[in-house]
Amino acid sequence: MRGSFISSSPSKVAVLSLLLTCRIGAFDSGYFGMTKKSHHSRLSSRDMQRMQERHGRYAGSNKLHSRFETYLGVQNEGGESDNANGNNFGSSEWLNDIPKNGARQPPGLSGGGKGELYDEEDLKNLFATHLNIMDQLQIDEDDDDDALTDIPPPPSSFSVHDLVMQAITEETPSPSPPSSLTKLLKKSSQIRAIATDVDGTLLPPKTKSPHPRTVTSLRNAILHAADDNDTNRTAVVFVATGKSRKGATDSLGPILGPLLRDIPGVYIQGLYCVDARGRTLFERKLSTDAVTVAANLARRFRLSVAAYDGDDLFTPEVDELTEELHTGYGEPRPRVLPGGASSLEDYGRGFHKLLLMDSDPAALVAVRPLLEEAAGACGACVTQALPTMLEWLPEGCSKAVGVRKVCEALGVDPTTELLALGDAENDAEMLKMACIGVAMGDGTDLAKECADYIMDSGCAEGAAGAAIDLFGFGTESYS
């Protein structure tokens, strides 16, 4: 909240504090994935005074924090606060769990009650105000009686809603989602296919393991689409990734990985696309000139290089960064060039793409303009999925192109029948092309700009699974 509301009206702050303390139970859980409500009885003014007398710094802080913990689902299994003293209000880290795009809960997903009167950003502002109130009141144990005399009695007639709205209207309105959620939910009835990125969308960068919700939702969607006895409206689910096919399959674990072998896929940034039987639908490789340009720049700036030929990865020299493609990202282990080839240019079968890597992102910032300057003359283009990697591709190719090729083979119109999920620059065109493009909450700015909807949560919190449940299909459980 802005300081004008807090500093200019201490009495108003005190009243709002007490109202929040005794009425917080009226705000029901309204976020995706949270179904529990906070059930708390209302407190009389005498009860509130007793709470003040029991707590030195702030009336009811421990009990109110417990309510917030219940509301946000941050208690541990034992039901106790994560903080040893039972009061985590000294930290505002838990506020990060509140959705960021200000979108109201769609009909049918809300817990009901007063929570439907305020959007998520309003509630976040109120909770932030609560933290500021605690710091400003500074009620010490020795000054409890004096402090209480400064708090006016509750008005004989007042509206919690009016007071809340008076507070939040002083805050700058939150931006609306890129598209009306209501309209998107209506459009979702047209969806016949789902295309999803892998790294940063299904696989979190740190854990490299998909969230359980994502696993369940994606698995159910794949099985739902493949059910021969099901007359569902959806045709297929497939991945659209910069990884090789083997790399994607191995990375997604024992549940999702095997399913990828029996569905179509867009691999290596759209340069290698297959149908459900593994037959090639579309394929493009770099020209010899394009390989030479990238190889020369790699040598000049001492960059690590990995060259993709389907599921085979090659490198002029194995080092820590090329090895990390296997150990950290699940790709096939890059091998030294075969057949006595001394350089990438000598490899006879051609490459789908080259990765130019450096542990320092700033080094790639310097190289990218040089690649882009040379791209047109040699029929190539540059994209980026991770700060430490530049991807050198044949001109005119991208995930979006690959997705379009697969959709054509399936008889799906991507502009009216595709749900696409992504998080990075290389997903942007795909998100923009799709009927509904959804960006992860922790995605890049470009991905968000091109998306129709931005998830409140990130990849590590199961945002992809939530998006499939919201806009896609396959909510049935398959054993």
Side-chain angles (χ1 to χ4, degrees):
M1 298 293 289
R2 295 182 183 275
S4 59
F5 175 78
I6 298 175
S7 60
S8 64
S9 182
S11 296
K12 186 188 299 183
V13 169
V15 172
L16 179 56
S17 304
L18 296 177
L19 290 174
L20 285 172
T21 303
C22 62
R23 302 300 176 99
I24 193 66
F27 291 88
D28 297 331
S29 174
Y31 307 122
F32 298 129
M34 295 185 181
T35 57
K36 293 184 179 179
K37 298 181 182 179
S38 299
H39 298 287
H40 305 289
S41 59
R42 296 180 179 179
L43 303 177
S44 66
S45 59
R46 180 57 183 163
D47 290 330
M48 289 186 283
Q49 184 172 356
R50 289 173 179 172
M51 289 171 65
Q52 286 177 316
E53 292 170 353
R54 285 198 301 267
H55 297 277
R57 186 180 180 197
Y58 182 72
S61 62
N62 289 342
K63 183 171 288 187
L64 182 57
H65 177 234
S66 177
R67 293 179 183 179
F68 282 147
E69 283 189 319
T70 300
Y71 181 80
L72 294 173
V74 299
Q75 283 185 321
N76 60 32
E77 294 180 359
E80 299 176 353
S81 168
D82 290 335
N83 191 307
N85 63 15
N87 187 348
N88 289 339
F89 268 67
S91 169
S92 61
E93 293 180 357
W94 55 274
L95 286 174
N96 294 329
D97 292 336
I98 296 179
K100 301 176 179 61
N101 66 3
R104 294 182 183 275
Q105 187 76 313
L109 293 181
S110 173
K114 290 287 182 78
E116 293 179 346
L117 296 178
Y118 314 105
D119 64 26
E120 289 86 345
E121 191 67 23
D122 295 340
L123 292 176
K124 179 177 179 180
N125 291 334
L126 287 172
F127 297 159
T129 300
H130 193 78
L131 297 179
N132 292 335
I133 290 169
M134 291 179 57
D135 292 335
Q136 293 190 34
L137 289 182
Q138 293 292 327
I139 301 177
D140 297 323
E141 291 185 3
D142 296 336
D143 299 329
D144 280 354
D145 294 338
D146 295 337
L148 288 175
T149 60
D150 294 333
I151 301 177
S156 57
S157 175
F158 64 86
S159 166
V160 176
H161 172 71
D162 291 341
L163 187 56
V164 168
M165 292 308 297
Q166 183 178 355
I168 64 177
T169 50
E170 297 184 27
E171 185 69 27
T172 303
S174 301
S176 299
S179 270
S180 165
L181 180 57
T182 301
K183 291 181 180 179
L184 291 176
L185 290 173
K186 290 180 179 179
K187 289 174 68 175
S188 68
S189 64
Q190 306 167 198
I191 299 301
R192 294 182 55 225
I194 298 176
T196 177
D197 170 50
V198 175
D199 287 319
T201 301
L202 302 181
L203 289 177
K206 292 184 178 180
T207 65
K208 304 297 182 184
S209 179
H211 188 276
R213 179 172 187 177
T214 295
V215 172
T216 299
S217 299
L218 185 58
R219 175 181 179 272
N220 286 344
I222 292 173
L223 296 178
H224 184 92
D227 192 344
D228 293 335
N229 297 319
D230 196 343
T231 57
N232 66 83
R233 54 184 167 77
T234 305
V236 71
V237 181
F238 60 96
V239 297
T241 177
K243 288 180 174 292
S244 65
R245 190 183 187 200
K246 187 178 188 307
T249 301
D250 293 346
S251 298
L252 286 173
I255 297 177
L256 294 178
L259 295 176
L260 264 60
R261 301 188 184 101
D262 299 318
I263 63 175
V266 175
Y267 300 102
I268 317 179
Q269 301 297 7
L271 300 170
Y272 180 59
C273 305
V274 299
D275 65 12
R277 297 182 180 181
R279 297 174 299 193
T280 302
L281 294 174
F282 174 75
E283 184 177 21
R284 283 283 301 277
K285 290 191 173 184
L286 289 161
S287 68
T288 302
D289 288 345
V291 172
T292 300
V293 167
N296 286 338
L297 282 173
R299 286 189 286 266
R300 174 181 167 188
F301 287 90
R302 298 183 179 180
L303 304 177
S304 299
V305 181
Y308 283 65
D309 181 13
D311 285 336
D312 294 319
L313 274 66
F314 298 105
T315 180
E317 182 180 354
V318 175
D319 60 22
E320 183 177 347
L321 291 178
T322 60
E323 185 67 12
E324 189 181 9
L325 290 174
H326 175 67
T327 59
Y329 296 95
E331 291 283 36
R333 178 173 271 110
R335 297 174 289 158
V336 175
L337 289 163
S342 59
S343 66
L344 295 175
E345 301 94 307
D346 296 333
Y347 182 74
R349 289 162 38 189
F351 298 114
H352 291 101
K353 76 171 183 178
L354 301 183
L355 285 183
L356 280 66
M357 301 173 286
D358 196 293
S359 56
D360 180 10
L364 299 183
V365 171
V367 172
R368 181 163 185 166
L370 300 177
L371 283 171
E372 290 174 338
E373 183 180 352
C378 61
C381 63
V382 185
T383 190
Q384 192 164 15
L386 297 171
T388 56
M389 299 180 190
L390 288 176
E391 306 199 28
W392 187 238
L393 315 174
E395 185 178 25
C397 290
S398 65
K399 276 191 188 181
V401 172
V403 168
R404 190 179 296 114
K405 295 291 184 181
V406 169
C407 285
E408 288 175 1
L410 296 170
V412 172
D413 182 350
T415 64
T416 61
E417 299 175 315
L418 177 70
L419 168 65
L421 314 178
D423 74 300
E425 173 188 325
N426 60 332
D427 300 314
E429 290 183 44
M430 173 181 73
L431 298 178
K432 189 173 183 179
M433 172 186 68
C435 174
I436 301 177
V438 179
M440 303 299 100
D442 52 356
T444 64
D445 291 341
L446 182 57
K448 293 177 180 180
E449 289 171 7
C450 293
D452 299 293
Y453 190 78
I454 303 169
M455 297 302 292
D456 295 324
S457 55
C459 171
E461 291 76 46
I468 291 172
D469 292 341
L470 183 61
F471 298 113
F473 53 89
T475 55
E476 300 87 345
S477 177
Y478 287 80
S479 59

